[in-house]
Amino acid sequence: MRIMTPRGPAQVEFDEVERPRLLLVLTHGSAGGVDAPDLLAVRDAALNVGAVVARVTQPFRLAGARAPGSAVRQDEAWEVVLGELRARRPGLPLVQGGRSNGARVACRTAEVVGAVAVVALAFPLHPPGRPEKSRAGELREAGVDVLVVNGDRDPFGVPDAADAARLVVLPGEGHDLKKDPARVGEVVAEWIVGYGAPVSG
């Protein structure tokens, strides 16, 4: 499914479940796609706990760019996409997230789009080798609970536990979280289930 935004079209891949408890919307990093190993593992695990999962390829990636450009423009497009997705799944609690740059977008827009929680995979705390350029404020200012899953070998750094509702640091993992993506999926599914609606019937 394509959704038109002020920054061009976004592509959405939907995975449905029979009795949905929540809507989980995921997106990619700056140069990656929605088929990254950790995103696919999170999708699979989330489906098993009753989440409808939407994976969003943002307009800048559809256009072939490897950098998102202005945060304001990126967030503007994201808000349009999320408005459309929420309209298609009214009544379901929304959890949104992504990996790396996508995690930043999810944090910055959480309150505006009405998310109840954020999943931040490989949150890029700072540019590699530049710890003074911390982005921890994006976690602290999300306005909702944030789960952070990072590897202990991530050159972008590991956030402080005090800046998230939950921090899980996976040993041996780098920024791509591809050593044991199934573990990433387990961590996320276990956490998001607490934000789902009760199953009726």
Side-chain angles (χ1 to χ4, degrees), residues 115-131:
V116 296
V118 166
V119 172
L121 305 176
F123 185 86
L125 182 62
H126 56 71
R130 303 287 301 279

Side-chain angles (χ1 to χ4, degrees), residues 151-154 170-181 184:
D152 66 351
R153 298 182 181 178
D154 193 330
L170 300 177
E173 290 280 9
H175 192 62
D176 51 18
L177 295 175
K178 68 178 183 181
K179 184 177 178 183
D180 186 4
V184 178

Side-chain angles (χ1 to χ4, degrees), residues 2 10 15 29-30 42 64 100 112 122 130-131 144 183 188:
R2 290 212 167 187
D15 289 281
S30 290
V42 168
S100 195
V112 173
R130 303 287 301 279
V144 300
R183 178 64 185 137
V188 173

Side-chain angles (χ1 to χ4, degrees), residues 2 7-9 28-32 57-69:
R2 290 212 167 187
R7 304 300 160 196
H28 48 77
S30 290
T57 302
Q58 297 176 63
F60 77 92
R61 288 299 289 144
L62 273 189
R66 292 175 63 85

